[in-house]
Amino acid sequence: LEKALESYGQRDARRAFKQSIATKLEEGDGEAWIASVSKDALVSLGGDTNRLYQLLIEGKKANSLAFNDSTLEAAEARTDLFTPKQCETIKKRKIEVEEILTQELDNAIEEAQKHEAQERERKMMETKAQQMKIPRRAPVKIQGLKNRPELNGTMGTYMGLAQGDRYTVRLDYDGKDI
């Protein structure tokens, strides 16, 4: 029973230590805190240098802390807290984080460019639709289709422009858009 209680106490201390570091990160103080924290301060928070090191490098686990590259750089410089091998591992983790951030930024830029292109296309189509003089929901007779000549002469409802200077028409006989 004593061992179980001791184990629970250690687990709670590790959680409290992790939570105190998470709070520093959320407050935006991670880099300054890592640069100035002492071994005694780590102990007073319920941890030590090894536990801090584990938190710094734990990576993409669901409950891992989100250290940014500048915080990891500050940790890498703390040769008084970490061994040379630990500093090298922290440096590798920093590079991984930088690559992840770069990829996320590239993805965000690509998504923004895609959205801008779609918005330009939408505005261009809106302008064309306004110039056409055919109001939406106007009855129309399909004519001049080459790929689906069986639809020529069919009645439908004009729904708007589609991509590539095409019209969207809802067929009267089955309600499908073409």
Side-chain angles (χ1 to χ4, degrees):
L1 182 64
E2 274 186 41
K3 282 191 173 195
L5 290 175
E6 185 178 322
S7 175
Y8 286 130
Q10 289 172 347
R11 184 192 66 197
D12 290 344
R14 285 192 306 269
R15 284 184 180 166
F17 180 68
K18 184 175 183 176
Q19 184 57 47
S20 66
I21 293 173
T23 301
K24 298 285 185 200
L25 294 174
E26 289 168 2
E27 293 171 350
D29 298 334
E31 183 179 351
W33 180 79
I34 289 280
S36 63
V37 70
S38 68
K39 289 179 182 181
D40 291 337
L42 293 174
V43 171
S44 72
L45 292 172
D48 58 24
T49 57
N50 285 328
R51 180 65 182 136
L52 177 59
Y53 169 75
Q54 290 169 352
L55 292 172
L56 287 166
I57 64 164
E58 69 183 358
K60 295 183 182 179
K61 295 178 187 172
N63 61 349
S64 65
L65 298 177
F67 291 101
N68 62 28
D69 55 337
S70 59
T71 302
L72 290 168
E73 188 171 344
E76 177 191 348
R78 292 300 305 270
T79 56
D80 59 321
L81 292 180
F82 306 111
T83 67
K85 187 174 181 177
Q86 287 175 326
C87 289
E88 186 61 33
T89 303
I90 292 169
K91 180 179 182 177
K92 288 177 185 175
R93 179 70 183 130
K94 178 189 75 161
I95 292 168
E96 289 174 8
V97 168
E98 288 171 341
E99 290 170 354
I100 291 167
L101 292 174
T102 299
Q103 184 62 47
E104 287 175 355
L105 180 60
D106 289 347
N107 291 346
I109 289 170
E110 183 180 324
E111 191 63 34
Q113 289 171 339
K114 192 184 300 183
H115 179 72
E116 288 172 8
Q118 290 171 340
E119 188 62 22
R120 280 192 304 273
E121 176 76 15
R122 187 189 65 74
K123 286 182 181 180
M124 182 182 73
M125 289 174 67
E126 251 180 37
T127 301
K128 284 181 182 180
Q130 289 170 356
Q131 295 169 349
M132 284 185 49
K133 311 271 191 287
I134 300 175
R136 287 181 188 230
R137 306 238 180 249
V140 294
K141 184 176 184 178
I142 297 173
Q143 297 177 356
L145 293 181
K146 294 177 182 158
N147 289 339
R148 303 222 14 224
E150 72 276 8
L151 294 177
N152 287 332
T154 304
M155 295 302 293
T157 304
Y158 171 69
M159 302 303 290
L161 284 174
Q163 288 184 333
D165 290 332
R166 300 175 67 92
Y167 305 101
T168 300
V169 174
R170 181 161 294 151
L171 300 174
D172 286 348
Y173 75 89
D174 69 0
K176 292 184 179 177
D177 290 349
I178 62 163

